Amino acid sequence: MLDTVIEGGTVIDGSGAAPFSADVGLRDGRIVEIGRITSAARERIAAQGAWVTPGFIDIHTHYDGQASWDETFSPSIYHGVTTLVMGNCGVGFAPLRHGEQDRLIRLMEGVEDIPGVALAEGVRFDWQSFPQYMDALDARPHCLDFLAQVPHDPVRMLVMGERALAQQAASQADIAAMREIVREALLAGAAGFSTGRSDNHRTSRGEETPASQANAAELAGITRAFNGLSHGVVQVVSDFDLLRGPQYFDAEFDLVEVLARATGRPLSMTWLQRDPGGEQWRAVRERVERGVAAGLPLYLQAAARGIGVINGLDASFHPFMGFPGYQEVSHLPLAQRAQALREPQRKARILAQKSLPLAGDGTPLPPLVDILLAMLERISARMFALSSRDGEMPDYEPAVTASFFVRAKQRGVSALEAIFDHLTQGDGTNLIYFPIFNYNDGNLDVVRNMLEHPRALCGLGDAGAHVGTICDASFSTFMLTHWVQARASGRFALEDVVHMLGARNASYLGLSDRGRIALGQRADLNLIDPARLGVGVPKLVRDLPAGGKRFLQKGVGYLGTWVAGRCVQRDGTLTHERPGRLVRLGAC
């Protein structure tokens, strides 16, 4: 007897082939029948008019801490994801020297905008080595499958201590010790190794991340840990920063090639359109194409839309958080705060003030607030009202005519006043979308060019990170709604997007048992109502440990999601099933 039969749905099998109508039969966590199924089953689900897709694979998340306290991997579970990868960008919570978890908390709080108090209360830290970390997470129940990469920063901090934080060069003994740590993790089934080289990544104290200046000898020496192994990937984030000159850009990319040659394993890097430096993405593409032609296994992680931040009175930041007049009422509940801010005298006083360098609680303002204020009139052309009403789908490709720059000109007021009025309307829940990357031209044409590249991997959603400023865990749903259904021109075929979200990422990771609907594959599936499919409205919720807040954006239209044949959510309601496990690559 079959466990489940999904009857009469439109199957998009993940191979890139055209959709077809069929039943899909599941038994013991596997797909065992496809076609017209008359066999007996414990459950039969009518799926006429719905899409049946493989479960999606998210290769770029930061659930390293959240996996300790959240069994569900929310919000990814609401967006069709059934397998995810943690440990990106060189940051994470293992390996760990006993008693030094505060250093890793400061690292993750600064780089990934996760409240330190939530991490301190929620992460159990009942491990030291990376294999112990993997075992600890695997022993806890989860809805989704997950893989863990070894992050460079904790490895360097464990071996070098204060010298790592001081950006000192690693000795040969240091490199050998780091290589052994990574090797041990790979032999235990770790998915790979990640390193971060971005100037934008800082600890909560404003320090550079420990491995951000690692040289070629260190990178090549560590990644020789892959020698003789047939599994694992490498993930790199770097600014490349062509604006500093072609010599700097080439030297940084040469380091990427050093990593690729040293490991021989698939290597992916962050790919986006910067501002300033809007043409750098083309230079990255050209170097990757040259490297691939020379036999290097290089890949490009591309986003589904603009990469930016959400501003709101209760978000991590907004332009007014440093103004004395705002700080006078910042302690009030949100609706009362918005009402107080609308008082004509207070509004006039705030708009005439200058921002202080400190927030109301005495902490330094986030750097982005300074940038917003210094260039507000210009960058307001890239700031847009984001729908906060239930039932409306946020617009992530708005026209410049909808920007606060244009709205201000039409009203004859400053951009600062137009933004102030929007944020303080009603109960104060209005939001502003500010795409920083991938939106230099006021549309997503660059993103489309990236996604259609043969070496592109759909990623960069950062699920679990930047919780008070973004919620890009919805990238998978956005790929289906915007790029398949809604965009006026330049759409992708449904079968191509499903291939990107599943089989292509599975192949990169070396996962041969998922990402497609085929006989013998894992029964990781989504049943989707295309007429209802949407990304939903981002909402600030306080569900983190210690009362921490985050943006939560649920997908709608997912009639069901199955992991290893067990339904983990039905129509947006989570079930009690917990089939998720740590996926160990290699002999493990």
Side-chain angles (χ1 to χ4, degrees):
M1 179 178 288
L2 298 176
D3 295 324
T4 305
V5 174
I6 301 173
E7 293 183 312
T10 299
V11 176
I12 306 97
D13 68 7
S15 69
F20 59 93
S21 179
D23 305 337
V24 179
L26 318 179
R27 184 172 58 229
D28 297 332
R30 297 283 170 179
I31 299 170
V32 296
E33 290 191 48
I34 301 172
R36 180 72 180 95
I37 300 176
T38 58
S39 307
R42 293 180 178 86
E43 181 182 28
R44 304 187 79 90
I45 299 171
Q48 289 78 7
W51 296 340
V52 185
T53 77
F56 305 142
I57 299 170
D58 189 341
I59 61 174
H60 196 116
T61 82
H62 291 281
Y63 285 121
D64 310 68
Q66 188 174 328
S68 278
W69 70 76
D70 178 14
E71 299 178 358
T72 69
F73 291 110
S74 166
S76 292
I77 193 171
Y78 297 110
H79 295 281
V81 172
T82 54
T83 302
L84 54 91
V85 183
M86 311 183 305
N88 285 284
C89 302
V91 294
F93 290 110
L96 168 70
R97 181 178 285 111
H98 182 69
E100 294 193 355
Q101 51 262 42
D102 285 351
R103 288 184 173 183
L104 295 185
I105 288 174
R106 289 197 297 270
L107 177 67
M108 290 294 279
E109 182 180 23
V111 173
E112 303 301 343
D113 182 32
I114 306 170
V117 291
L119 295 174
E121 181 172 307
V123 182
R124 301 185 188 182
F125 292 109
D126 50 350
W127 57 78
Q128 292 187 43
S129 72
F130 201 84
Q132 289 172 345
Y133 170 71
M134 295 166 66
D135 290 343
L137 293 187
D138 197 21
R140 295 164 191 158
H142 291 96
C143 288
L144 312 182
D145 276 7
F146 57 100
L147 297 88
Q149 298 173 115
V150 190
H152 192 174
D153 286 328
V155 172
R156 199 173 206 263
M157 291 166 70
L158 178 65
V159 171
M160 297 178 61
E162 293 294 337
R163 292 186 296 119
L165 298 173
Q167 299 294 329
Q168 292 186 20
S171 68
Q172 287 300 313
D174 294 331
I175 294 170
M178 287 188 273
R179 180 168 60 248
E180 287 306 308
I181 291 171
V182 175
R183 178 78 174 187
E184 177 189 37
L186 292 171
L187 290 173
F193 171 77
S194 73
T195 190
R197 305 179 59 79
S198 174
D199 290 339
N200 295 321
H201 288 175
R202 300 273 170 165
T203 73
S204 60
R205 294 181 175 178
E207 305 156 322
E208 290 183 304
T209 53
S212 60
Q213 302 299 321
N215 58 29
E218 178 176 341
L219 292 169
I222 292 173
T223 52
R224 282 201 296 272
F226 285 86
N227 287 357
L229 301 180
S230 59
H231 73 275
V233 298
V234 179
Q235 184 266 332
V236 180
V237 57
S238 174
D239 297 331
F240 293 111
D241 206 353
L242 186 58
L243 290 178
R244 293 175 63 176
Q247 289 182 327
Y248 179 88
F249 173 88
D250 286 334
E252 188 67 9
F253 208 98
D254 287 347
L255 284 176
V256 172
E257 294 191 345
V258 164
L259 274 168
R261 290 193 185 94
T263 64
R265 302 300 305 159
L267 180 152
S268 65
M269 68 200 77
T270 298
W271 195 28
L272 46 79
Q273 182 190 44
R274 301 180 67 82
D275 183 17
E279 294 303 305
Q280 179 175 296
W281 71 278
R282 299 182 190 276
V284 172
R285 180 186 62 189
E286 290 167 6
R287 282 294 305 259
V288 165
E289 290 174 348
R290 283 163 47 190
V292 170
L296 294 179
L298 300 177
Y299 293 85
L300 294 156
Q301 285 198 33
R305 60 182 182 235
I307 297 177
V309 295
I310 300 173
N311 280 220
L313 291 183
D314 249 8
S316 287
F317 54 79
H318 56 81
F320 304 99
M321 58 193 303
F323 284 63
Y326 174 80
Q327 293 176 2
E328 293 170 1
V329 297
S330 62
H331 64 283
L332 294 175
L334 181 59
Q336 295 179 33
R337 195 187 328 156
Q339 183 179 12
L341 291 168
R342 290 195 299 269
E343 295 171 3
Q345 290 183 337
R346 178 174 280 111
K347 172 185 172 180
R349 187 154 46 88
I350 291 173
L351 294 177
Q353 291 174 343
K354 297 293 184 182
S355 178
L356 299 175
L358 298 177
D361 60 1
T363 58
L365 290 178
L368 190 54
V369 175
D370 293 335
I371 296 172
L372 282 172
L373 292 170
M375 302 187 294
L376 189 64
E377 288 297 325
R378 180 174 71 84
I379 65 175
S380 65
R382 206 185 298 177
M383 299 177 74
F384 308 91
L386 188 66
S387 174
S388 59
R389 290 185 290 184
D390 290 330
E392 287 191 2
M393 189 181 299
D395 184 0
Y396 288 104
E397 193 173 11
V400 68
T401 52
S403 70
F404 281 96
F405 177 85
V406 173
R407 291 170 63 160
K409 295 296 182 186
Q410 290 172 340
R411 290 178 52 197
V413 300
S414 68
L416 189 67
E417 183 172 355
I419 290 170
F420 182 94
D421 289 343
H422 176 73
L423 292 178
T424 59
Q425 280 179 3
D427 60 2
T429 58
N430 278 357
L431 301 173
I432 292 174
Y433 175 52
F434 175 30
I436 300 172
F437 302 123
N438 291 350
Y439 216 72
N440 293 17
D441 304 316
N443 58 56
L444 295 178
D445 289 351
V446 162
V447 172
R448 194 195 192 287
N449 288 334
M450 290 178 176
L451 290 171
E452 68 182 356
H453 194 277
R455 305 302 287 192
L457 302 171
C458 192
L460 303 186
D462 273 356
H466 308 293
V467 295
T469 54
I470 68 169
C471 193
D472 288 345
S474 60
F475 273 2
S476 53
T477 304
F478 182 81
M479 286 290 293
L480 295 169
T481 56
H482 188 80
W483 290 111
V484 173
Q485 293 180 315
R487 202 170 195 253
S489 62
R491 298 184 192 176
F492 288 101
L494 173 60
E495 56 266 30
D496 291 338
V497 166
V498 172
H499 175 71
M500 291 183 210
L501 294 173
R504 184 182 293 185
N505 283 348
S507 177
Y508 160 74
L509 292 168
L511 298 173
S512 60
D513 64 345
R514 65 196 72 198
R516 294 179 297 118
I517 297 177
L519 296 179
Q521 288 276 292
R522 275 174 57 92
D524 294 351
L525 300 169
N526 287 309
L527 182 62
I528 301 170
D529 180 353
R532 293 173 49 212
L533 187 63
V535 294
V537 174
K539 298 285 188 181
L540 271 169
V541 298
R542 293 185 177 273
D543 65 352
L544 296 181
K549 61 187 176 183
R550 63 171 179 152
F551 276 111
L552 181 62
Q553 183 178 37
K554 294 184 178 182
V556 294
Y558 287 90
L559 303 176
T561 298
W562 287 261
V563 174
R566 293 159 62 183
C567 188
V568 295
Q569 75 85 22
R570 287 186 187 271
D571 209 7
T573 299
L574 304 186
T575 73
H576 296 293
E577 297 285 356
R578 299 291 183 268
R581 296 296 305 272
L582 171 72
V583 180
R584 298 179 187 265
L585 298 184
C588 295

